[in-house]
Amino acid sequence: MDEPFQHGYEYTEKFLIEESKRVVRDPCKLHFMLEGLVIFYLRYMYSRQDAARNFILMCRKDIELYYRFLNAWCLQRPNEDPPTDPVSFRELTLFYENKGRFWEALDICHAALHYGVRDYTLGGYVTRLTRLEKKLENQLGDN
């Protein structure tokens, strides 16, 4: 089977979006498709104008639907723990932090903590939250 990534941006984007539509009723499959789109747009972040906007949209959609993923996972795989490091939380937090959009980054961190998401850095989201609060204080103090 051909890998869709070999066919360029437009083809791959269309393929991933169509696959996402196909699995929209299965929160587990949809979560992983949205993660695929997040990774796809992240790959093109600096070479395509629309990639950053679409990256944000896919991350936010994945985060918005994350509770459905967790519920479905528990029903479909009652003896397995769900993955605890979804891409959307980590990458969107980093994106917002790098853009100086600390309020948005803080919101994502709070959501990650609410869902028990981990980022596998020293101190995890708690330390990241503290660092972002300090950066926001400095930003507000400069204005």
Side-chain angles (χ1 to χ4, degrees), residues 89-90 93-94 97 105-106 109 119-134:
F89 289 87
R90 180 184 65 247
T93 300
L94 290 170
E97 181 178 2
L106 287 165
C109 282
D119 72 353
Y120 297 104
T121 59
L122 190 59
Y125 278 102
V126 173
T127 301
R128 187 182 298 276
L129 192 62
T130 303
R131 186 180 70 245
L132 287 167
E133 288 170 344
K134 184 123 180 100

Side-chain angles (χ1 to χ4, degrees), residues 67-84:
Y67 75 96
R68 289 181 60 216
F69 164 73
L70 290 176
N71 290 339
W73 183 277
C74 291
L75 290 172
Q76 292 176 15
R77 302 171 184 213
N79 298 324
E80 294 179 40
D81 291 332
T84 58

Side-chain angles (χ1 to χ4, degrees), residues 19-27 30 68:
E19 286 297 303
S20 297
K21 289 177 184 176
R22 194 177 60 75
V23 300
V24 75
R25 298 202 190 285
D26 183 335
L30 180 59
R68 289 181 60 216

Side-chain angles (χ1 to χ4, degrees), residues 26-32 35 61-86 89 110-118:
D26 183 335
C28 286
K29 289 180 181 174
L30 180 59
H31 163 72
F32 292 114
E35 278 197 337
K61 180 55 74 177
D62 188 33
I63 292 167
E64 174 187 327
L65 298 174
Y66 194 67
Y67 75 96
R68 289 181 60 216
F69 164 73
L70 290 176
N71 290 339
W73 183 277
C74 291
L75 290 172
Q76 292 176 15
R77 302 171 184 213
N79 298 324
E80 294 179 40
D81 291 332
T84 58
D85 59 344
F89 289 87
H110 284 290
L113 289 169
H114 172 77
Y115 289 119
V117 170
R118 302 164 84 193

Side-chain angles (χ1 to χ4, degrees), residues 7-67:
H7 296 287
Y9 183 87
E10 288 83 9
Y11 177 89
T12 304
E13 179 182 45
K14 183 179 178 187
F15 173 82
L16 291 171
I17 289 170
E18 291 302 316
E19 286 297 303
S20 297
K21 289 177 184 176
R22 194 177 60 75
V23 300
V24 75
R25 298 202 190 285
D26 183 335
C28 286
K29 289 180 181 174
L30 180 59
H31 163 72
F32 292 114
M33 287 305 305
L34 291 172
E35 278 197 337
L37 278 159
V38 166
I39 292 166
F40 170 74
Y41 289 123
L42 194 57
R43 180 183 204 182
Y44 289 97
M45 183 77 66
Y46 300 103
S47 62
R48 299 287 302 210
Q49 284 185 331
D50 60 341
R53 180 180 51 85
N54 291 332
F55 163 79
I56 292 168
L57 289 172
M58 291 305 114
C59 285
R60 294 191 73 77
K61 180 55 74 177
D62 188 33
I63 292 167
E64 174 187 327
L65 298 174
Y66 194 67
Y67 75 96

